């Protein structure tokens, strides 16, 4: 899940502070914390640079991906969805985003 992935990445970044860390992810919010991002499309580099700068490039590959992720997140955070989570072998039904911690 997103929270666990963020915690593991935070631990790795702390443990290997000062080293180069390569992280392959589809979680674009997580990439905003990196110094540099490389965007691949069909095996080719289509954008690279500082994530906050790339996010401001209108029509750029990274900016479009970030915008799409925010759009999808808005849909998924809607209360019209019911989420099912399996935790420790038990099924838990989550009816709203606040029930699952945001």
């Amino acid at each position: 899940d997103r929270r666990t992935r963020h915690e593991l990445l935070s631990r790795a970044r702390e443990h290997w502070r000062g080293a180069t860390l390569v992280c392959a992810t589809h979680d674009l919010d997580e990439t905003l914390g990196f110094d540099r991002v490389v965007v691949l499309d069909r095996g080719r580099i289509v954008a690279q640079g500082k994530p906050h700068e790339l996010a401001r490039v209108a029509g750029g590959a990274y900016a479009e991906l970030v915008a799409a992720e925010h759009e999808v997140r808005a849909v998924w955070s809607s209360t019209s969805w019911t989420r099912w989570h399996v935790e420790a072998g038990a099924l838990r039904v989550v009816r709203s985003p606040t029930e699952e911690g945001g």
Side-chain angles (χ1 to χ4, degrees):
D1 67 47
R2 180 178 292 262
R3 192 174 310 137
T4 302
R5 185 174 54 243
H6 177 75
E7 177 62 29
L8 289 172
L9 184 56
S10 293
R11 287 183 192 173
R13 293 178 83 172
E14 179 64 29
H15 183 77
W16 287 292
R17 184 181 300 168
T20 298
L21 176 64
V22 176
C23 176
T25 184
H26 289 95
D27 186 348
L28 295 176
D29 278 347
E30 201 66 67
T31 66
L32 293 170
F34 281 88
D35 297 327
R36 180 184 169 107
V37 185
V38 177
V39 180
L40 300 173
D41 184 14
R42 296 183 181 109
R44 297 182 161 251
I45 296 173
V46 295
Q48 60 180 314
K50 295 180 180 187
H52 293 286
E53 290 175 3
L54 292 175
R56 290 192 299 263
V57 177
Y62 185 77
E64 287 182 358
L65 290 169
V66 170
E69 181 166 292
H70 286 252
E71 205 172 295
V72 167
R73 186 159 304 138
V75 170
W76 280 108
S77 64
S78 164
T79 57
S80 64
W81 292 91
T82 300
R83 294 160 184 81
W84 295 19
H85 294 265
V86 176
E87 297 170 356
L91 177 65
R92 182 171 68 97
V93 177
V94 179
R95 301 211 186 279
S96 72
T98 55
E99 287 182 55
E100 60 182 329

